[in-house]
């Protein structure tokens, strides 16, 4: 991998993780987002902006990260597979358990004080739907959450990524022997949002795509002759605008609605990846030459691992004390993720300075 391609991977990985906070900061009445979610509120600046960003413009992030992961893992084919899996256990599964425990600890600590305990209860982010204090849930419930359903729900990504790594020989064989059938099957899984226990299907297609791109030796660092900055961005943003308006106009989530929204989602995500990857070279070169940016980007994993459960809890505190402020939900949507982003970077910087060995262990060696 040449230096500029490596810089692009680092730049977009950080950007994708930083923008994740503005997806998880979505705070409309129905806060759980799926690509075909509708908005059960009147259209306002707040509701339109939040849906447009969280369920449209920013949806390119996870597919792009899975492509990076597949590409980078395929680059290491010369190393023994067992050695690579042992390393991935240290860089994925160990942090999964560490930061799952940190999320439980943060939640328990917030439950000890009336104001913050109310914020935890109102956030309602327990994956099992039981938002009682941990003192009532018991050690069995806490242990189950730690292993299978962490309150830091974003950790599903590293867990699934490790399973994809384990299945890499299957992916490699299928891509080499039956690529059209393999990608057709995975595409249908992505479109239909098919998943299996501990394996979220939405990443399989893009992880495999990353492997295929590497094996084809596709020049990712060069802009194709056919690419048009203007048309791709116009198409990307235009589809997201259309989808956002439709989310307010349609009243029921019928089968037809799910199909239409799924098609819009697939096309807009694909256009977004192309637009963002191929049109940002000048921004990447400028940013990666700024010391402040490369310093902050080093804490991408800390931001990813720590922002949940902090963000939903902080959002509820904003609600408690800002309800009387005009446009308080939009203000919360902008400032709560921004505040948590800076808190995560500050925690990461302090952690790395005070205990660099522990920092390296808990981040899988990232951020140095």
């Amino acid at each position: 991998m040449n230096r500029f391609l490596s810089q692009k991977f680092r730049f977009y990985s950080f950007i994708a993780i930083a923008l994740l906070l503005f997806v998880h900061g979505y705070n409309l009445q129905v806060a759980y987002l799926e690509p075909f979610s509708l908005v059960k509120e009147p259209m306002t600046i707040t509701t339109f902006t939040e849906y447009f960003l969280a369920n449209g413009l920013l949806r390119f992030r996870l597919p792009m990260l899975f492509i990076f992961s597949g590409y980078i893992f395929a680059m290491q084919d010369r190393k023994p597979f067992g050695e690579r899996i042992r390393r991935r256990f240290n860089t994925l599964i160990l942090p999964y358990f560490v930061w799952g425990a940190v999320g439980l600890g943060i939640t328990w600590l917030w439950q000890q004080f009336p104001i913050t305990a109310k914020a935890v209860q109102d956030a309602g982010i327990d994956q099992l739907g039981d938002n009682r204090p941990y003192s009532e849930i018991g050690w069995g419930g806490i242990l189950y959450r730690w292993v299978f359903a962490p309150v830091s729900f974003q950790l599903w990504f590293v867990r699934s990524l490790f399973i994809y790594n384990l299945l890499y020989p299957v992916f490699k064989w299928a891509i080499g022997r039956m690529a059209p059938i393999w990608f057709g099957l995975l595409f249908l899984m992505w479109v239909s949002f098919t998943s299996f226990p501990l394996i979220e299907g939405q990443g399989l297609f893009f992880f495999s795509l990353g492997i295929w791109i590497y094996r084809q030796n596709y020049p990712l660092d060069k802009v194709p002759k056919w690419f048009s900055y203007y048309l791709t961005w116009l198409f990307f943003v235009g589809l997201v605008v259309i989808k956002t308006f439709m989310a307010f106009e349609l009243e029921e989530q019928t089968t037809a609605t799910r199909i239409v929204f799924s098609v819009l989602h697939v096309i807009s995500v694909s256009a977004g990846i192309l637009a963002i990857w191929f049109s940002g070279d000048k921004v990447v070169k400028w940013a990666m030459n700024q010391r402040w940016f490369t310093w902050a980007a080093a804490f991408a994993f800390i931001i990813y691992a720590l922002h949940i459960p902090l963000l939903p809890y902080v959002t509820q505190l904003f609600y408690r004390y800002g309800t009387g402020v005009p446009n308080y939900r939009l203000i919360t949507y902008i400032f709560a993720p921004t505040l948590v982003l800076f808190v995560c970077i500050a925690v990461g910087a302090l952690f790395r300075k005070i205990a660099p060995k522990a920092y390296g262990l808990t981040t899988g060696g990232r951020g140095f």
Side-chain angles (χ1 to χ4, degrees):
M1 185 188 301
N2 63 49
R3 183 172 181 271
F4 181 61
L5 184 56
S6 176
Q7 287 183 330
K8 287 190 76 169
F9 278 10
R10 288 181 58 201
F11 173 84
Y12 283 116
S13 294
F14 173 71
I15 294 300
I17 289 172
L19 293 177
L20 178 62
L21 277 70
F22 293 92
V23 174
H24 289 161
Y26 184 81
N27 58 34
L28 301 190
Q29 290 176 5
V30 180
Y32 182 74
L33 274 180
E34 295 177 299
F36 37 77
S37 295
L38 303 180
V39 183
K40 302 298 184 180
E41 304 180 48
M43 184 186 299
T44 64
I45 293 178
T46 296
T47 55
F48 185 91
T49 299
E50 290 200 28
Y51 192 94
F52 173 77
L53 292 175
N55 211 18
L57 210 65
L58 306 184
R59 279 285 187 174
F60 73 92
R61 306 162 356 274
L62 280 179
M64 183 175 281
L65 289 175
F66 275 120
I67 291 173
F68 292 172
S69 299
Y71 187 96
I72 293 171
F73 199 76
M75 285 178 57
Q76 304 167 13
D77 267 351
R78 294 182 180 180
K79 298 179 181 179
F81 182 69
E83 175 187 326
R84 294 157 68 189
I85 290 300
R86 285 192 295 271
R87 186 175 185 277
R88 294 304 273 169
F89 182 89
N90 292 331
T91 60
L92 295 173
I93 296 302
L94 184 58
Y96 172 84
F97 285 117
V98 168
W99 293 101
V102 169
L104 289 169
I106 291 172
T107 301
W108 175 84
L109 183 63
W110 278 58
Q111 289 175 345
Q112 306 312 302
F113 308 95
I115 293 178
T116 52
K118 185 66 166 59
V120 172
Q121 184 179 15
D122 291 344
I125 61 172
D126 185 274
Q127 292 198 60
L128 303 180
D130 187 348
N131 292 286
R132 291 178 299 160
Y134 287 166
S135 58
E136 298 179 13
I137 291 175
W139 285 108
I142 293 173
L143 182 62
Y144 186 88
R145 284 163 174 78
W146 180 46
V147 176
F148 297 108
V151 67
S152 302
F153 55 78
Q154 78 281 10
L155 295 174
W156 73 265
F157 178 85
V158 293
R159 181 188 64 205
S160 288
L161 189 55
F162 180 73
I163 295 174
Y164 295 171
N165 292 165
L166 285 176
L167 296 175
Y168 174 74
V170 177
F171 295 169
K172 182 179 176 181
W173 178 88
I175 291 169
R177 297 292 184 88
M178 45 182 286
I181 297 174
W182 179 250
F183 280 108
L185 176 64
L186 296 186
F187 181 80
L188 290 176
M189 290 180 62
W190 173 39
V191 174
S192 62
F193 305 98
T194 302
S195 295
F196 305 99
L198 301 181
I199 303 179
E200 283 73 10
Q202 62 175 309
L204 290 170
F205 176 80
F206 294 101
F207 185 81
S208 295
L209 182 59
I211 297 171
W212 180 85
I213 291 172
Y214 176 77
R215 290 173 61 84
Q216 294 294 314
N217 197 28
Y218 188 88
L220 285 176
D221 55 335
K222 296 181 180 179
V223 179
K225 293 182 180 179
W226 52 263
F227 180 77
S228 168
Y229 300 100
Y230 175 76
L231 291 178
T232 307
W233 274 100
L234 181 64
F235 188 63
F236 172 40
V237 176
L239 282 178
V240 174
V241 169
I242 292 171
K243 181 187 174 199
T244 303
F245 274 114
M246 290 178 63
F248 287 92
E249 294 298 324
L250 299 176
E251 296 181 356
E252 296 184 7
Q253 200 177 78
T254 62
T255 300
T257 299
R258 289 172 67 97
I259 293 174
V260 171
F261 269 65
S262 295
V263 170
L264 290 174
H265 170 72
V266 168
I267 298 175
S268 63
V269 166
S270 302
I273 292 173
L274 292 174
I276 290 161
W277 177 259
F278 286 121
S279 65
D281 285 4
K282 291 183 179 179
V283 176
V284 173
K285 291 177 181 177
W286 176 84
M288 297 306 290
N289 283 318
Q290 308 301 313
R291 291 185 63 183
W292 63 267
F293 183 87
T294 55
W295 178 85
F299 302 108
F301 187 82
I302 291 288
I303 296 168
Y304 159 76
L306 188 59
H307 80 279
I308 301 292
L310 283 177
L311 179 55
Y313 300 164
V314 170
T315 295
Q316 293 303 319
L317 290 182
F318 268 70
Y319 271 20
R320 174 179 287 254
Y321 296 106
T323 304
V325 178
N327 297 314
Y328 74 94
R329 286 199 301 175
L330 183 58
I331 292 172
T332 298
Y333 179 68
I334 295 171
F335 285 101
T338 303
L339 174 62
V340 172
L341 176 67
F342 283 111
V343 167
C344 291
I345 292 175
V347 169
L350 186 63
F351 186 16
R352 188 176 67 178
K353 182 176 182 179
I354 293 176
K357 290 185 178 180
Y359 177 88
L361 184 68
T362 59
T363 62
R366 303 172 180 89
F368 288 101

